[in-house]
Amino acid sequence: NYVITLDELPDLEEYPYTESTTTFKYYTLNIIINPSQAGTVTRTPNKTVFLENSTVTLQAVALSGYIFSNWVVGSSVYTTNPIVITITTNTTVTANFVNITTTQTYILNLDIYPQAAGVIYYNPTGGVYIAGTTVTLTAQANSGYVFSHWSGDVGGSQNPVSILMDANKTVVAHFSVSVSTDSKPFIGSINLSTGQIVSGLYNLVISCSDDIGVSRVEVYIDGSLVATLTSSPYSYTIDTNNLSDGSHNLLVVVYDTSNQTQTTSINFTVDNSGSLDTLLKDNYLLTVNSDDKNEVIDFGDDIEWIKIYGINGKVIYESSGDVNPAFTSKPGLYIYKAKLKNGKIFTGKILVLR
């Protein structure tokens, strides 16, 4: 017979008396820690005597130098920690620990991509395992994601999956965005309008965004891929000198990280007949006037800056903005360099005669 102290009596509110209740059956729970100095076990509720069919949660906590191995309940062995058992008889539970300083153990590292996309459940828990232990991994996606595949020391898309701990191992669970919750990319603006006439070098700028992330932007001209842009700002220089005069089609395709797309098509016109580079000459011939000043060279109004160099390489004239430069100099040979507003840079010669 087992003697019950007052502290061990069940809570009457938890087990209320009814007219149909004639007897209560109580059973004891005995915990053995093996080795005795390897760890501790907490029980919830913290009792040693339980009403028949009550449940108790046991949590094993290893001390320094040990790891939890398994539970032995009667003739059954369990590796889950914590464990929930149902008391149906007087029960003895053994919590087995292993000394990691004398036993070969391996570490299992787990990672998730992208971060916060899901969780990995593993059984047995702990992260450090005795050599030969088989660990079961289960990937569970968070809202808005679906499990995709494993990488590292486990491959494929089977879920759950098992791994044998015969070495230190790393496993990554990959998740992808659920298409049902992912919006398509958004194209905010493109600095090229339908019917716009362009010539020379034109810097195309594309503004786009996505709720998950933009992976790339593809630029097509007349159906041919001319650029794949992978980082913001998304820009590409169109060289109209490589295109014939007339109408051309620009197609922009934006991809998000789940491979959804958004497209925009624009028809524009190329007119190279009046492009800036046809206004500049390779050679200019000037004569000095009676006032000892040279004639004026009209470089047009689309010059960003111009520099004129002496034969010794020194700058004798420079200007920025819209210029019609006139410079005073002795007869001789000079070099000019001009940057056009379309981005091109030209060089040429100026010969001054008296």
Side-chain angles (χ1 to χ4, degrees):
N1 295 330
Y2 184 83
V3 177
I4 302 176
T5 67
L6 291 177
D7 292 337
E8 294 174 327
L9 286 174
D11 188 342
L12 292 181
E13 293 182 359
E14 183 179 357
Y15 311 110
Y17 174 81
T18 63
E19 292 183 359
S20 62
T21 302
T22 56
T23 60
F24 290 105
K25 293 182 180 180
Y26 299 96
Y27 298 107
T28 61
L29 173 63
N30 181 39
I31 304 295
I32 298 175
I33 297 174
N34 179 43
S36 60
Q37 75 283 3
T40 61
V41 173
T42 60
R43 61 183 89 188
T44 305
N46 187 18
K47 298 179 180 180
T48 58
V49 178
F50 294 85
L51 182 66
E52 183 178 29
N53 294 320
S54 297
T55 59
V56 57
T57 301
L58 303 179
Q59 172 79 53
V61 180
L63 297 180
S64 178
Y66 292 86
I67 60 171
F68 172 73
S69 176
N70 57 63
W71 304 99
V72 177
V73 183
S75 59
S76 301
V77 178
Y78 306 94
T79 57
T80 302
N81 186 36
I83 188 175
V84 178
I85 63 174
T86 302
I87 305 297
T88 59
T89 186
N90 293 329
T91 304
T92 296
V93 177
T94 301
N96 291 311
F97 296 84
V98 173
N99 188 328
I100 60 176
T101 62
T102 60
T103 304
Q104 179 63 60
T105 58
Y106 296 111
I107 298 174
L108 176 59
N109 296 303
L110 301 177
D111 201 0
I112 296 169
Y113 182 84
Q115 294 294 325
V119 295
I120 301 175
Y121 295 103
Y122 49 106
N123 182 30
T125 59
V128 180
Y129 300 97
I130 304 168
T133 301
T134 297
V135 182
T136 299
L137 304 176
T138 303
Q140 180 174 304
N142 288 336
S143 177
Y145 292 88
V146 293
F147 173 70
S148 174
H149 64 279
W150 305 99
S151 69
D153 290 302
V154 170
S157 57
Q158 180 180 342
N159 186 35
V161 69
S162 296
I163 183 171
L164 177 65
M165 295 304 297
D166 53 5
N168 292 330
K169 296 189 176 181
T170 298
V171 176
V172 181
H174 294 259
F175 298 85
S176 59
V177 177
S178 174
V179 175
S180 61
T181 61
D182 180 24
S183 299
K184 287 187 175 182
F186 171 72
I187 299 178
S189 63
I190 299 176
N191 67 333
L192 182 66
S193 57
T194 298
Q196 182 175 337
I197 299 174
V198 296
S199 61
L201 300 178
Y202 187 84
N203 187 37
L204 181 72
V205 180
I206 303 161
S207 173
C208 56
S209 61
D210 185 74
D211 56 341
I212 302 300
V214 174
S215 64
R216 68 186 187 277
V217 176
E218 293 179 347
V219 179
Y220 296 81
I221 293 181
D222 298 332
S224 297
L225 178 65
V226 296
T228 299
L229 313 174
T230 57
S231 60
S232 181
Y234 302 101
S235 63
Y236 170 71
T237 300
I238 300 175
D239 188 351
T240 64
N241 292 302
N242 297 325
L243 301 173
S244 62
D245 285 358
S247 178
H248 295 270
N249 176 259
L250 171 75
L251 177 66
V252 174
V253 184
V254 180
Y255 293 79
D256 67 9
T257 54
S258 60
N259 224 34
Q260 294 192 103
T261 62
Q262 188 66 268
T263 63
T264 292
S265 179
I266 298 172
N267 291 320
F268 65 99
T269 300
V270 170
D271 182 7
N272 286 319
S273 61
S275 60
L276 294 174
D277 53 302
T278 63
L279 301 178
L280 294 178
K281 301 178 181 179
D282 291 332
N283 298 287
Y284 289 90
L285 178 63
L286 298 179
T287 58
V288 179
N289 296 325
S290 58
D291 59 359
D292 286 333
K293 291 186 177 180
N294 298 309
E295 297 172 332
V296 172
I297 303 175
D298 186 357
F299 287 99
D301 294 330
D302 291 296
I303 299 292
E304 183 174 323
W305 55 258
I306 187 169
K307 296 181 181 180
I308 298 177
Y309 300 82
I311 197 66
N312 59 2
K314 292 183 178 179
V315 177
I316 63 173
Y317 178 91
E318 62 181 313
S319 180
S320 61
D322 299 335
V323 293
N324 293 300
F327 66 99
T328 300
S329 184
K330 297 178 181 180
L333 180 64
Y334 301 89
I335 304 296
Y336 82 86
K337 180 183 288 187
K339 181 179 180 182
L340 306 181
K341 291 181 179 178
N342 65 7
K344 285 190 175 182
I345 294 180
F346 283 85
T347 59
K349 303 181 186 69
I350 301 174
L351 180 60
V352 178
L353 299 177
R354 183 171 293 278

